[in-house]
Amino acid sequence: MLVRVGEDLVAIDADGTVLVEGLPAGRQDRRRRVRGDRVSVSAPPHRGPYRLEAPDRTLLAISA
């Protein structure tokens, strides 16, 4: 689950997933491994969209 808190995103029960920032498919994106059951990361809305993916790239959640 992704929850926006101001300029941050909090990934809950997401240990082992990947937080992806930016546009997919040919455009530059940034991928970060989520380690821990509750992780807060800086995620300014203008850099989104943000998505949480399983290791096999299955989409789990999305946020602006």
Side-chain angles (χ1 to χ4, degrees), residues 22-35:
L23 300 170
R27 305 248 171 107
Q28 187 171 1
D29 62 17
R30 180 177 176 195
R31 304 177 72 80
R32 297 183 251 186
R33 172 83 48 182
V34 176
R35 297 184 190 278

Side-chain angles (χ1 to χ4, degrees), residues 1 5 8 10-11 17 20 26 30 34 39 44 50-51 55-56 64:
M1 175 186 319
V5 180
D8 295 341
V10 180
T17 61
V20 183
R30 180 177 176 195
V34 176
V39 177
Y50 297 88
R51 60 193 187 278
D56 66 0

Side-chain angles (χ1 to χ4, degrees), residues 1-3 9-14 17 34 36-40 52:
M1 175 186 319
L2 283 177
V3 177
L9 282 176
V10 180
I12 301 169
D13 291 331
T17 61
V34 176
D37 290 329
R38 185 179 177 132
V39 177
S40 180
L52 193 62

